[in-house]
């Protein structure tokens, strides 16, 4: 929930991305590599309408508080970078970047996402027919096949549900941070994502101090965990870290 005060819904909240699908598919079906490869128009339209509209969001106090921390975030909104954290790890990707469509495990260049240009070319986002054609153009996808081609077409820089953590998402760096850490602070997570399971494993293995900050924290069933039932904003107002 760190980005909620910046106007970005929490992923699994009432109005979050997890609950908002397309006309024909659930979010679990939409946010997949399979969908990108086989229903490319629908995938790009869904991604643009659900995520790209937050490209101009601004950081809030929590992002600035985190700006000097060793941070691994599931958020793709890029607000930690805007707040000045130069070395944060966006383990699920970044909204402001795209990459060549590539084989998983390969390292390719991060490229600036064309969201502004697409929005300017199609200001009426309800004109989905026109918007789909523009998206195909910018992502270098044939209007005949409507299928992406590896190392030619572009893909949003986001880790999809049927993909796995690779070093383009700085997984090796993330593990190095977790292996060395003596203190872990989890903020606003449901612990339903692999990276939080991995982090918790290392925290327990390291016998590290563990703090969970959440309005409704998940009880993990382990001793010696500090639970702060509050928002991150309230936490930084009342506690020194």
């Amino acid at each position: 929930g760190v980005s909620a005060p910046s106007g970005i819904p929490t992923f699994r909240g009432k109005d979050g991305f997890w609950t908002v699908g397309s006309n024909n598919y659930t979010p679990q079906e939409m946010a997949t590599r399979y969908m990108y490869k086989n229903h490319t128009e629908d995938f790009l339209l869904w991604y643009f309408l659900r995520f790209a509209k937050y490209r101009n969001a601004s950081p809030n106090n929590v992002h600035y508080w985190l700006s000097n921390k060793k941070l691994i975030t599931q958020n793709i909104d890029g607000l930690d970078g805007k707040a000045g954290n130069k070395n944060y790890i966006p383990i699920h990707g970044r909204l402001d970047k795209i990459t060549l469509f590539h084989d998983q495990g390969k390292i390719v260049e991060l490229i600036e996402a064309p969201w502004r240009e697409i929005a300017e070319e199609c200001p009426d986002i309800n004109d989905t027919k026109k918007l789909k054609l523009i998206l195909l153009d910018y992502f270098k996808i044939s209007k005949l096949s409507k299928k992406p081609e590896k190392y030619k077409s572009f893909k949003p820089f986001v880790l999809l549900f049927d993909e796995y953590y690779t070093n383009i998402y700085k997984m090796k760096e993330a593990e190095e941070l977790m292996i060395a850490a003596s203190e872990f602070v989890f903020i606003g997570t449901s612990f339903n994502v692999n990276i939080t399971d991995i982090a918790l494993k290392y925290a327990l293995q390291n016998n590290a101090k563990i703090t969970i900050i959440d309005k409704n924290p998940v009880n993990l069933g382990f001793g010696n965990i500090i639970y702060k039932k509050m928002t991150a904003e309230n936490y930084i107002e009342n506690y020194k870290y």
Side-chain angles (χ1 to χ4, degrees):
V2 166
S3 295
S6 295
I8 299 177
T10 56
F11 195 81
R12 286 180 170 79
K14 181 180 177 182
D15 299 314
F17 301 119
W18 181 263
T19 63
V20 183
S22 72
N23 291 333
N24 302 308
Y25 302 99
T26 67
Q28 298 95 316
E29 293 171 322
M30 285 303 305
T32 60
R33 188 178 180 92
Y34 174 86
M35 187 63 71
Y36 167 72
K37 289 169 62 176
N38 295 286
H39 301 276
T40 311
E41 285 183 301
D42 289 326
F43 174 92
L44 291 175
L45 180 66
W46 177 78
Y47 191 89
F48 181 80
L49 295 178
R50 298 295 179 269
F51 292 91
K53 70 178 182 177
Y54 296 110
R55 66 191 181 278
N56 296 321
S58 298
N60 59 59
N61 290 337
V62 180
H63 295 111
Y64 289 111
W65 176 74
L66 289 167
S67 64
N68 63 350
K69 308 292 190 294
K70 293 179 179 178
L71 175 64
I72 302 168
T73 181
Q74 298 167 218
N75 292 344
I76 67 168
D77 53 44
L79 296 183
D80 294 291
K82 289 182 181 180
N85 194 317
K86 303 296 184 184
N87 299 309
Y88 83 103
I89 296 177
I91 201 71
H92 288 170
R94 285 175 52 174
L95 173 62
D96 62 340
K97 301 293 183 183
I98 60 175
T99 68
L100 282 174
F101 177 40
H102 61 282
D103 293 303
Q104 293 185 83
K106 300 291 185 181
I107 300 296
V108 294
E109 180 185 4
L110 301 186
I111 303 164
E112 290 298 315
W115 308 130
R116 179 179 59 80
E117 293 86 349
I118 292 169
E120 288 176 354
E121 200 164 325
C122 188
D124 181 6
I125 62 172
N126 294 313
D127 188 349
T128 56
K129 184 176 180 180
K130 180 180 179 180
L131 186 52
K132 282 182 176 181
L133 292 174
I134 292 170
L135 285 162
L136 290 177
D137 275 341
Y138 274 93
F139 281 81
K140 296 189 181 301
I141 293 164
S142 165
K143 291 188 178 70
L144 294 176
S145 69
K146 297 183 180 179
K147 297 288 182 72
E149 299 176 58
K150 284 183 182 174
Y151 302 100
K152 178 181 177 181
S153 302
F154 293 123
K155 171 185 173 290
F157 179 51
V158 60
L159 183 72
L160 299 169
F161 285 117
D162 54 352
E163 295 181 323
Y164 53 87
Y165 294 116
T166 66
N167 288 333
I168 196 173
Y169 298 100
K170 299 187 177 181
M171 187 59 195
K172 182 179 178 182
E173 291 179 42
E175 287 204 279
E176 288 172 352
L177 282 181
M178 291 185 282
I179 288 168
S182 60
E183 182 169 358
F184 288 70
V185 179
F186 295 91
I187 303 176
T189 180
S190 62
F191 288 92
N192 285 327
V193 180
N194 284 344
I195 192 64
T196 50
D197 285 340
I198 294 168
L200 182 61
K201 179 192 75 173
Y202 280 117
L204 295 170
Q205 179 179 296
N206 296 358
N207 197 28
K209 178 181 177 182
I210 303 172
T211 301
I212 296 174
I213 304 166
D214 197 292
K215 286 193 297 184
N216 296 292
V218 175
N219 190 323
L220 298 175
F222 298 103
N224 302 320
I225 294 180
I226 301 168
Y227 294 92
K228 300 293 184 181
K229 192 173 182 179
M230 59 183 65
T231 64
E233 276 195 308
N234 289 337
Y235 181 80
I236 67 172
E237 288 171 1
N238 295 288
Y239 293 86
K240 299 295 182 182
Y241 176 69

